[in-house]
Amino acid sequence: MATNHTPNRTSLETLFARANEALDEATGGVVPPFQPATTFARRSDYSLVSNRHLYARDDNDVVRLAEETLTIAENGEAGLLFPSGMAAIAAVMRTIPNGGRLIMQSQIYWGTMKWVREFCARREIELVEVAAHQPAELVQTTETVRPDIVFVETPSNPWLRTVDLRAASQTCKAVGARLVVDSTAATPVLSQPLGFGADIVMHSATKAVNGHSDVVAGFLCTGDASSDFWTAIRTDRHDAGAILGSFEAWLLLRGMRTLPLRVERMSANAAAIAEFLTSHNNVLEVLYPGLSTHLGHELAQVQMSGGFGSLLSFRVKGSGKEALNVCGRLNLFHRATSLGGVESLVEHRHTIEGDVTGVPDDLIRVSVGIEHVDELIADLDQALSGAIR
Ligand code: PLP
């Protein structure tokens, strides 16, 4: 069930810290109660005890509360949680009719690209991949293809490319296409793509939204809850049952209470690390939208506020083996996939994704956590300089 609400936005800090004023009315508990029931008993006259509690696929208060909180943060009208970011993306893509058309930004999260390519082939959907961070290319392709959906990721993973959302939205509107934005790396704290004209904003809530590497979840939010597009997605989630479990939603809500605080520290740490890497002799290139040298920096300044996020990538001088050696020498960073958690992670993307998106084997992606930044930089320094553990 979608959450409809009148936006009631205080600061994001207050919204999240108080979990959108979650107070257990029965006990006064200052955190929401956890209700694992899958079904709800009826009275002897067969009426429901509560009209909002029939069966857990539709009726889950903690899920609703988490959806509402994220929806307010995104300045949206309605939001839906899914059991993973990929499930949220799949729900969007399933609205494209067989034989329809899709434009997807090239070189984005490889899991999205892999699944979407297979899905489009199965459904005979024409898929065109385009360098959407170059507005002219996006305009030209959109006018030619006239797609049902344009799907972009900004900043993108792992290239940290920035897409001009206002321009993309105008381009889409001109041909009646829907703009869907994966804003996972930006988080709902740093950017609200609906305000730039996106039809739907998507998050892998597995990442910074939860922030503790212990929940897999996805989120979609719209600024137009009555559109056919949203209705199709909402109905699909309900009928096909791609719902988030109670415990996951409860953990997600708990994680979200510190989201602005975490994002602030992670972004500050990432900015300092990006600056450090830029000046390191063994680094070829640093990809981070907060760097003034980054191609999308000016745009990122417009579309993000309060920081540039916790995700960055850098390319090591030498071969892919050098990059793997750097990863191997790190002591503080975990060598693990994913991003947005409180603990810092590094990943050699080419090992994970092979040639799906054309990622070079000298690229290391870094998810910066909330550890002390001096210790993170010292660890990177020794690993890059070739110190023996
Ligand atoms: N979008 C981005 C940018 C991601 O990085 C990921 C996962 O890494 C996803 C979507 C998929 O999310 P999930 O792993 O929650 O299915």
Side-chain angles (χ1 to χ4, degrees), residues 272-289:
I273 288 173
E275 288 292 348
F276 159 77
L277 290 170
T278 303
S279 61
H280 202 287
N281 277 341
N282 297 347
V283 172
L284 186 66
E285 187 183 8
V286 184
L287 307 166
Y288 185 63

Side-chain angles (χ1 to χ4, degrees), residues 84-87 89 109 112 153 157 182 184-185 202 204-207 216-218 338-339 365:
S84 69
M86 286 312 302
I89 291 171
Y109 170 56
T112 304
E153 200 182 271
N157 170 13
D182 182 337
T184 299
M202 176 267 157
S204 164
T206 313
K207 316 301 180 196
V216 177
S338 204
L339 54 116
R365 191 187 72 186

